[in-house]
């Protein structure tokens, strides 16, 4: 028996039986055809699998499903039918297309291979003739959240000496900090993770906050990331030295001491949702009870039986309210902005034991399931945010597809509140769906129906010592105020000072709310400074921040490699490339839903400019970031 065959073999067991009976059937098909290369059998399923969100998504005949399970069992337990050669690209693409019920075009293949763990884009340590980073060349990474961890992993793989500075006591970033009841992730677990570490142990199809943090902790342990990390340390300033081509980084240590670290390059991974903000409401400081923000939830706060006020109705509020409504005595939710709500039946589903076993043990299954989740939640949703000129002037939708999605959301709301027309009136938005962040319902609507929950929409006049006075004069006496009021996203540097060539100040250039960059990463005048998750790089049409982060890390290390190979000191994007890119973004944005007259969210600044969103597909960002384009940068020597 070949080595390939022996690796695929599993013992016949009750666990295998349960996995075959309960695991996702199109993914079992993908794994079987990948292992067997039985293209003819694949085609028998093609008429029975439809695109994501179809009703029903499949109508696979039971006899055909049973035949698949029997074939896969035989292959896994005996090796019968196992192909002896690598999977051809043409068959891989056909598996993709059949199992998601629609064509997967050529432009997506490299992305799928990379993001689903089949063929990682590049392992720089294995490139023949590659120039290795010289001794003493050091990269400093700000933040040990998802992006910072990606940077640390890939910097080590590429041979770069590096240090990660993290203000918190451990890794995790957003998922270390956000611990409020009900905290969770909108993106599906099996996609919102690193492509090189696909985890089979998720408890839910959409991870709760603790699950996400546990995953990141296990990744940190497996890759020994803490070895290059300093915790409880905050970066205060970066100052560029033109003579040496280095950055002097001033940090504040846990004991209050300031220290300077010299680095050749800086990767800023502190993220846009790291600086939470309290609302500017008169009297807030005078409230006599606890006032907390969802992003800084006290571990010892007990709201059981208390009267609680929640300010805000965005994603964090919806998760929190759904979780605490059954526990509190009274709950009043203060709404300033209405939000569209979609129902995904998987949002609270636990991953069955058979599915977990398949992910952990059946060869290629976890990769194919990640592909399936990615395809449903990524660029297939892009049509929702692209304006159709024929719909110009419509206040509520920007295309036929966008209108259909709106009607789906309306239908769900009307079903949930069939006997509560008052709530339908209070909750129905007057802007196109997807022009602001979507809420996935995980108990939000059910909570609003409860007798002990009140939705207040008249606005807040002021905070009293023992309660909140609404603008209509009503007063809600409460014990605790929770601010689910989001983050200061527009001021992307926070309180960080960055001084580049000639002493120029990036904070002054960006101001309070108008950041611009090249590809969301670089600004001319700041050599070897890379700002991840920066302006106009957020995938606001779909899931995929993890993909964007990986793409940016790839591009940054390629930029560093070009610097090292040329024996140069630093990499700097040109002003021409920066200006051309921003003109391209500005020309594109009027075609996008976020520029709709009724769209007004944290994606936009106060002048209406969409500074946050990436206005193309994820596959376009992937393709743009394979390497810096020739002619777009200079190398300082």
């Amino acid at each position: 028996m070949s080595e390939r065959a022996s690796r695929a073999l599993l013992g016949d067991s009750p666990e295998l039986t349960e996995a075959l009976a309960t695991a996702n059937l199109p993914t079992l098909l993908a794994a079987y055809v990948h292992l067997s290369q039985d293209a003819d059998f694949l085609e028998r399923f093609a008429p029975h699998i439809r695109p994501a969100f179809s009703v029903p998504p499949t109508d696979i005949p039971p006899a055909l499903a049973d035949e698949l399970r029997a074939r896969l069992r035989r292959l896994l337990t005996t090796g019968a039918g196992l192909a002896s050669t690598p999977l051809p690209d043409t068959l891989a693409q056909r598996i993709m297309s059949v199992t998601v019920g629609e064509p997967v075009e050529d432009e997506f293949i490299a992305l799928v291979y990379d993001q689903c763990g089949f063929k990682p884009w590049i392992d720089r340590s294995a490139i023949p003739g590659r120039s290795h980073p010289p001794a003493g060349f050091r990269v400093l990474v700000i933040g040990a959240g998802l992006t910072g961890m990606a940077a640390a992993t890939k910097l080590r793989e590429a041979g770069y000496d590096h240090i990660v500075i993290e203000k918190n006591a451990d890794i995790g970033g957003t998922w270390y900090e956000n611990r409020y009841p009900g905290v969770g992730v909108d993106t599906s677990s099996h996609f919102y993770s690193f492509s090189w570490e696909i985890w089979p142990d998720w408890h839910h199809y959409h991870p709760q906050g603790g699950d996400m943090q546990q995953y990141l902790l296990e990744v940190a342990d497996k890759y020994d990331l803490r070895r290059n990390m300093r915790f409880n340390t905050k970066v205060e300033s970066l100052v560029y030295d033109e003579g040496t081509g280095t950055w002097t980084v001033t940090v504040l240590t846990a004991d209050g001491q300031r220290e300077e670290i010299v680095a050749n390059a800086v990767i800023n991974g502190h993220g846009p949702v790291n600086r939470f903000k309290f609302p500017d409401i008169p009297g807030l400081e005078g409230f006599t009870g606890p006032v907390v923000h969802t992003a800084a939830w006290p571990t010892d706060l007990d709201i059981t039986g208390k009267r609680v006020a929640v300010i805000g109705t965005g994603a964090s509020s919806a998760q929190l309210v759904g979780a605490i409504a059954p526990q509190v005595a009274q709950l009043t939710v203060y709404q300033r902005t209405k939000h569209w709500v979609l129902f995904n039946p998987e949002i609270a589903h636990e991953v069955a034991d058979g599915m977990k076993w398949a992910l952990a043990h059946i060869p290629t299954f976890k990769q194919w399931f990640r592909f399936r989740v990615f395809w449903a939640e990524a660029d297939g949703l892009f049509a929702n945010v692209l304006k159709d000129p024929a719909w110009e002037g419509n206040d509520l939708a920007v295309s036929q597809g966008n209108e259909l999605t709106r009607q789906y959301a309306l239908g769900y709301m009307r079903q949930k509140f069939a006997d509560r027309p008052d709530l339908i009136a209070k909750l129905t938005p007057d802007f196109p769906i997807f022009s602001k962040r979507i809420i996935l319902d995980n108990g939000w609507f059910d909570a609003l129906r409860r007798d002990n929950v009140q939705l207040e929409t008249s606005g807040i006049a002021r905070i009293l010592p023992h309660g909140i006075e609404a603008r209509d004069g009503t007063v809600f006496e409460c014990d605790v105020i929770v601010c689910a009021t989001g983050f200061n996203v527009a001021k992307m540097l926070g309180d960080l000072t960055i001084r580049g060539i000639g002493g120029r100040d990036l904070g002054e250039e960006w101001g309070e709310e108008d950041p611009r960059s090249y590809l969301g990463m670089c600004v001319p005048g700041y050599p070897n400074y890379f700002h991840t998750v920066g302006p106009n790089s957020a995938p606001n049409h779909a899931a995929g921040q993890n993909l964007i982060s990986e793409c940016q890390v790839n591009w940054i290390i390629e930029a560093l490699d070009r610097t090292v190979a040329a024996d140069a000191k630093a990499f700097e994007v040109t002003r021409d490339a920066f200006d051309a890119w921003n003109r391209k973004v500005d020309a594109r944005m009027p075609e996008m839903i976020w520029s709709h007259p009724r769209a007004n969210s944290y994606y936009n600044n106060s002048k209406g400019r969409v500074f946050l969103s990436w206005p193309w597909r994820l596959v376009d960002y992937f393709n743009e970031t394979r390497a810096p384009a020739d002619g777009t940068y200079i190398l300082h020597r």
Side-chain angles (χ1 to χ4, degrees):
M1 183 178 295
S2 69
E3 182 182 351
R4 174 182 168 85
S6 63
R7 288 201 307 268
L9 288 183
L10 301 172
D12 204 346
S13 65
E15 290 81 9
L16 175 59
T17 298
E18 183 178 3
L20 293 174
T22 60
N24 179 264
L25 201 60
T27 310
L28 289 174
L29 172 66
Y32 171 73
V33 179
H34 185 133
L35 296 170
S36 68
Q37 298 185 24
D38 189 342
D40 291 338
F41 189 62
L42 175 69
E43 295 306 323
R44 292 170 59 186
F45 286 80
H48 304 291
I49 302 176
R50 285 175 284 279
F53 312 116
S54 299
V55 181
T58 65
D59 61 358
I60 299 171
L64 186 58
D66 289 343
E67 183 179 353
L68 167 61
R69 295 183 177 109
R71 286 184 179 223
L72 185 53
R73 178 191 295 276
R74 184 168 61 250
L75 183 151
L76 293 173
T77 57
T78 71
L82 186 68
S84 59
T85 58
L87 182 71
D89 290 348
T90 53
L91 182 53
Q93 186 172 2
R94 185 59 183 156
I95 294 173
M96 296 174 198
S97 297
V98 169
T99 58
V100 296
E102 59 185 329
V104 176
E105 305 296 346
D106 292 350
E107 63 177 330
F108 288 95
I109 304 306
L111 181 153
V112 172
Y113 276 159
D114 174 67
Q115 282 296 304
C116 297
F118 292 116
K119 297 179 184 178
W121 176 256
I122 194 168
D123 178 352
R124 287 179 174 82
S125 65
I127 299 175
R130 172 177 173 262
S131 298
H132 293 282
F137 190 101
R138 193 181 213 192
V139 182
L140 184 140
V141 180
I142 303 174
L146 186 142
T147 306
M149 291 175 65
T153 304
K154 292 303 176 180
L155 285 168
R156 181 179 297 169
E157 182 183 274
Y160 282 93
D161 179 27
H162 64 281
I163 182 173
V164 181
I165 305 298
E166 169 55 53
K167 64 180 175 60
N168 293 322
D170 205 347
I171 60 93
T174 293
W175 306 111
Y176 175 89
E177 295 172 357
N178 284 263
R179 305 181 183 187
Y180 59 85
V183 62
V185 184
D186 290 351
T187 306
S188 292
S189 315
H190 299 89
F191 177 46
Y192 188 63
S193 51
F194 297 121
S195 62
W196 57 82
E197 192 58 42
I198 303 176
W199 209 38
D201 297 328
W202 296 107
H203 298 303
H204 299 84
Y205 283 102
H206 285 254
Q208 298 174 354
D211 294 337
M212 194 67 222
Q213 178 66 358
Q214 183 60 39
Y215 167 77
L216 295 174
L217 289 170
E218 293 197 16
V219 170
D221 290 341
K222 180 175 179 177
Y223 291 87
D224 193 21
L225 297 183
R226 293 184 186 83
R227 172 157 52 98
N228 292 78
M229 294 181 173
R230 288 182 56 177
F231 296 102
N232 296 310
T233 304
K234 182 181 179 182
V235 176
E236 292 189 325
S237 67
L238 315 173
V239 179
Y240 186 68
D241 185 319
E242 297 173 55
T244 62
T246 59
W247 287 92
T248 298
V249 182
T250 301
V251 302
L252 183 66
T253 63
D255 60 1
Q257 302 299 309
R258 284 182 171 80
E259 177 184 339
E260 291 185 348
I261 302 171
V262 176
N264 299 82
V266 175
I267 300 175
N268 189 343
H270 72 185
V273 289
N274 190 255
R275 297 162 293 281
F276 61 83
K277 60 181 181 181
F278 282 97
D280 184 14
I281 301 175
L284 185 63
E285 307 83 6
F287 183 71
T288 56
V291 177
V292 303
H293 195 284
T294 51
W297 189 269
T299 56
D300 60 349
L301 179 62
D302 183 6
I303 45 82
T304 305
K306 301 288 180 64
R307 299 167 300 174
V308 178
V310 175
I311 301 174
T313 51
S316 297
S317 173
Q319 292 175 347
L320 173 74
V321 168
I324 69 172
Q327 305 171 18
V328 301
Q330 293 291 325
L331 177 60
T332 297
V333 183
Y334 291 86
Q335 174 179 278
R336 183 184 65 176
T337 303
K338 302 174 181 179
H339 292 276
W340 284 108
V341 177
L342 289 175
F343 176 61
N344 180 347
E346 286 190 345
I347 189 69
H349 284 187
E350 294 186 3
V351 182
D353 289 341
M355 185 68 178
K356 286 183 182 178
W357 196 93
L359 288 160
H361 297 285
I362 295 179
T364 77
F365 185 90
K366 67 180 180 181
Q367 289 88 351
W368 283 114
F369 189 67
R370 182 179 172 94
F371 160 69
R372 184 172 182 80
V373 173
F374 156 76
W375 195 257
E377 296 190 356
D379 286 340
L381 300 174
F382 187 73
N384 276 294
V385 299
L386 188 63
K387 291 179 180 178
D388 179 348
W391 287 67
E392 186 68 30
N394 190 301
D395 286 338
L396 300 178
V398 298
S399 68
Q400 181 64 35
N402 186 242
E403 172 63 14
L404 290 174
T405 306
R406 188 180 79 90
Q407 290 298 330
Y408 172 78
L410 280 173
Y412 176 65
M413 182 188 300
R414 290 164 180 165
Q415 173 195 343
K416 295 295 288 188
F417 300 121
D419 58 343
R420 292 292 304 274
D422 59 314
L423 286 176
I424 293 176
K426 288 181 175 182
L427 291 166
T428 303
D430 61 354
F431 52 84
I433 192 169
F434 276 98
S435 63
K436 302 180 185 181
R437 184 176 175 180
I438 297 292
I439 290 175
L440 292 185
D441 188 16
N442 188 18
W444 166 239
F445 277 179
D446 286 338
L448 294 178
R449 292 180 52 85
R450 294 178 59 90
D451 291 339
N452 67 327
V453 177
Q454 174 70 29
L455 180 65
E456 174 58 60
T457 60
S458 69
I460 297 175
R462 57 179 176 153
I463 308 293
L464 305 173
H466 300 285
I468 297 179
E469 181 181 340
R471 288 178 180 169
D472 64 3
T474 60
V475 174
F476 173 59
E477 293 190 355
C478 55
D479 306 302
V480 179
I481 294 177
V482 180
C483 300
T485 45
F487 303 84
N488 188 352
V489 175
K491 191 176 182 181
M492 284 194 168
L493 294 184
D495 57 2
L496 180 63
T497 298
I498 302 179
R499 298 192 186 278
I501 292 175
R504 60 192 301 172
D505 189 317
L506 187 56
E508 291 180 358
E509 293 180 29
W510 280 2
E512 292 293 313
E513 58 169 13
D514 201 29
R516 287 184 181 269
S517 69
Y518 175 75
L519 279 177
M521 291 180 280
C522 294
V523 181
Y526 301 87
N528 274 8
Y529 171 73
F530 305 97
H531 191 107
T532 64
V533 198
N536 294 116
S537 69
N540 292 139
H541 72 278
Q545 183 52 61
N546 53 308
L547 183 151
I548 296 291
S549 293
E550 289 189 20
C551 288
Q552 292 182 336
V553 168
N554 171 78
W555 190 93
I556 291 166
I557 295 179
E558 181 64 26
L560 294 176
D561 271 9
R562 294 192 179 192
T563 306
V564 168
D567 196 25
K569 290 188 296 188
F571 173 104
E572 181 187 2
V573 68
T574 67
R575 171 59 64 175
D576 285 347
F578 174 89
D579 289 341
W581 179 255
N582 280 280
R583 286 194 299 269
K584 183 178 178 181
V585 170
D586 289 346
R588 172 68 164 179
M589 210 57 78
E591 302 172 11
M592 307 308 298
I593 195 171
W594 310 298
S595 62
H596 188 278
R598 293 199 175 186
N600 182 23
S601 73
Y602 65 86
Y603 306 162
N604 313 65
N605 66 15
S606 63
K607 296 180 180 178
R609 186 175 83 80
V610 184
F611 70 88
L612 188 66
S613 305
W614 169 252
W616 291 279
R617 302 168 302 167
L618 291 174
V619 69
D620 298 316
Y621 199 84
F622 179 86
N623 291 331
E624 286 276 1
T625 51
R626 295 308 84 205
D630 291 341
T632 62
Y633 61 91
I634 58 174
L635 298 177
H636 293 265
R637 300 180 186 277

